[in-house]
Amino acid sequence: MASVADLLADKRVCICAGSGGVGKTTTSAAIAAGMAARGKKVAVLTIDPAKRLADSLGLPELGNTERQVDPELFERCGVEVAEGGELWAMMLDAKATFDEVVRNHAPDAATRDRILSNRIYQQLSAALAGSQEYMAMEKLFEIHAEDRYDLLVLDTPPSRNALDFLDAPRRLTQFIEGRALQVFMMPTGLGMKLFGRGTSMMFGILRRITGVDLLEELAEFFQAFSGMVGGFRERARRVDELLSAPESSFLVVCAPQGEPISEAVYFHRKLIEAKMPFGGVIVNKVQYEGRLPDEAEAQLPELEDLLESAVGDPDLAARVAANFEDFRRLSERDRRNVEHLARELRTRAVIQVPYLDEDVHDLAGLMRVNRYLFASGSEERAEIAASV
């Protein structure tokens, strides 16, 4: 049974992917911290707006540039960091990253300034279809090209559909190249003629009321943007190459319930179809039953009687026994679901992280998660889980 250290031994890019609410941000931070402790210079990138990553890493805030986590935090947690190990983190700002892309792709300073100052661009740059997912990959590509880190860990944007991340470059390019936008890439006068008289009157009324020529703003934006389509297309191709390269690895993150398991199976299938490198799957918040001695197992049918004699309260004993039985059923459900997941994915690289009693909100909590992510085998994980 592989550990995260085994799965990422020769990798430079780790993408933690999965549906929302399954613990991707915590998992990404824990992986980054664990690899840093093992001597890697690691940067973790997130788009999570809830500041969970910043709080867990002891940083007051995160911005669109990387910040180093204080090495003393590792020492306070009793973690010895191997030589060369550093942990850096950043929270992606899609709007700021889009601005950087424009600066990089604009053919000249005049075009760059026209786009960045255009009011239509300022509104659309944070809302274009797929922009958040695309900008996450764009930033990943940019930092990877700078070659300053041994490993990059990307916490993919929260989404109801994890495939949005893979489809983002194609969807954004299709938007920019769409036929409907070709109207605005024509000279303003010609574009105006293609609109009906009523539409032209509407734009005229808006111009008189607001002082803004909306059609002219739209035309100016897309005319300036048209010269960058080729650059976007080429950059999207190179981003796709990075994601599919042998030095990259997708770790699918899910929860043990039925729906997240089904989504993980579906996402894995799409990864394989897209020829993306699948590394393994991490199942969070698993209920472990733990192993009881044989003599204790034999006494389970009389558990309620044993509890009653121990606590002297029949009602309390009944509730404790019922709670324990519910826990056993949840554990059995999780076990069956994880086994089903492993069969469907045809992999032994399934790492289980148990449901922890305390929420993970600091580096010490991340290192507790790492006890399972970096355990060397299933037996060691089972022993650790039994102690939770």
Side-chain angles (χ1 to χ4, degrees), residues 193-230:
K193 293 177 182 178
L194 296 180
F195 285 97
R197 182 179 178 184
T199 305
S200 300
M201 290 179 62
M202 179 190 71
F203 280 120
I205 293 171
L206 285 174
R207 181 172 62 244
R208 287 195 298 271
I209 294 174
T210 65
V212 176
D213 190 330
L214 182 59
L215 186 60
E216 184 179 344
E217 291 269 359
L218 283 167
E220 181 184 40
F221 166 61
F222 286 112
Q223 286 169 21
F225 215 72
S226 63
M228 298 172 54
V229 170

Side-chain angles (χ1 to χ4, degrees), residues 45-357:
L45 292 69
T46 184
I47 203 164
D48 176 30
K51 288 192 64 179
R52 287 191 296 265
L53 180 62
D55 293 340
S56 66
L57 296 177
L59 297 171
E61 61 181 13
L62 289 174
N64 207 44
T65 56
E66 312 96 288
R67 296 187 60 177
Q68 185 176 9
V69 176
D70 189 349
E72 289 187 5
L73 288 179
F74 285 93
E75 295 180 15
R76 295 173 195 167
C77 296
V79 177
E80 183 176 348
V81 178
E83 184 178 356
E86 294 181 10
L87 178 57
W88 296 71
M90 66 162 288
M91 186 178 78
L92 177 69
D93 182 330
K95 173 67 169 64
T97 301
F98 214 140
D99 290 348
E100 290 177 12
V101 172
V102 169
R103 293 187 183 96
N104 293 334
H105 290 323
D108 51 61
T111 301
R112 176 199 65 203
D113 294 340
R114 282 175 62 199
I115 294 175
L116 293 178
S117 62
N118 184 278
R119 280 172 283 200
I120 301 300
Y121 166 78
Q122 292 169 3
Q123 293 299 316
L124 288 181
S125 57
L128 282 173
S131 67
Q132 191 181 59
E133 289 85 1
Y134 179 81
M135 288 306 120
M137 288 190 286
E138 180 71 33
K139 196 67 177 179
L140 179 73
F141 177 82
E142 175 190 320
I143 297 177
H144 176 269
E146 293 172 354
D147 197 25
R148 292 183 287 113
Y149 297 96
D150 301 317
L151 177 67
L152 299 175
V153 180
L154 177 64
D155 167 31
T156 55
S159 171
R160 293 187 64 184
N161 184 359
L163 294 175
D164 287 347
F165 180 75
L166 296 180
D167 291 341
R170 177 185 58 81
R171 288 189 289 111
L172 186 60
T173 302
Q174 284 180 343
F175 175 84
I176 295 170
E177 296 177 336
R179 290 183 179 180
L181 302 185
Q182 301 307 311
V183 171
F184 295 107
M185 293 181 183
M186 299 176 182
T188 304
L190 180 57
M192 194 69 150
K193 293 177 182 178
L194 296 180
F195 285 97
R197 182 179 178 184
T199 305
S200 300
M201 290 179 62
M202 179 190 71
F203 280 120
I205 293 171
L206 285 174
R207 181 172 62 244
R208 287 195 298 271
I209 294 174
T210 65
V212 176
D213 190 330
L214 182 59
L215 186 60
E216 184 179 344
E217 291 269 359
L218 283 167
E220 181 184 40
F221 166 61
F222 286 112
Q223 286 169 21
F225 215 72
S226 63
M228 298 172 54
V229 170
F232 266 96
R233 188 188 301 114
E234 173 62 17
R235 190 77 165 209
R237 183 189 65 79
R238 294 175 65 188
V239 167
D240 190 66
E241 286 181 354
L242 172 61
L243 295 180
S244 58
E247 64 181 344
S248 300
S249 181
F250 281 81
L251 297 183
V252 178
V253 184
C254 67
Q257 293 80 21
E259 184 176 351
I261 291 286
S262 298
E263 291 177 353
V265 171
Y266 179 69
F267 184 64
H268 170 263
R269 186 182 306 128
K270 292 300 180 180
L271 278 177
I272 300 304
E273 291 176 0
K275 298 181 179 179
M276 296 294 177
F278 168 72
V281 60
I282 297 170
V283 189
N284 283 323
K285 297 186 176 182
V286 178
Q287 299 283 3
Y288 280 93
E289 185 174 347
R291 298 176 180 175
L292 294 174
D294 292 340
E295 59 273 17
E297 286 282 356
Q299 291 179 325
L300 282 179
E302 294 83 28
L303 176 61
E304 187 173 336
D305 294 335
L306 293 172
L307 286 169
E308 182 178 346
S309 63
V311 302
D313 185 333
D315 180 60
L316 177 60
R319 284 187 284 127
V320 171
N323 180 270
F324 182 70
E325 182 59 29
D326 289 343
F327 174 73
R328 284 170 61 89
R329 290 173 180 170
L330 282 175
S331 300
E332 178 61 22
R333 179 209 64 183
D334 287 359
R335 184 188 63 78
R336 290 195 306 268
N337 286 345
V338 172
E339 288 178 354
H340 167 73
L341 177 67
R343 287 194 302 270
E344 289 292 322
L345 271 55
R346 299 180 182 179
T347 181
R348 290 177 53 83
V350 179
I351 300 174
Q352 301 180 52
V353 178
Y355 193 101
L356 302 177
D357 292 336

Side-chain angles (χ1 to χ4, degrees), residues 358-372:
E358 298 179 3
D359 186 31
V360 177
H361 60 273
D362 55 16
L363 187 59
L366 295 178
M367 302 315 292
R368 285 199 301 274
V369 173
N370 279 346
R371 296 175 64 194
Y372 309 95

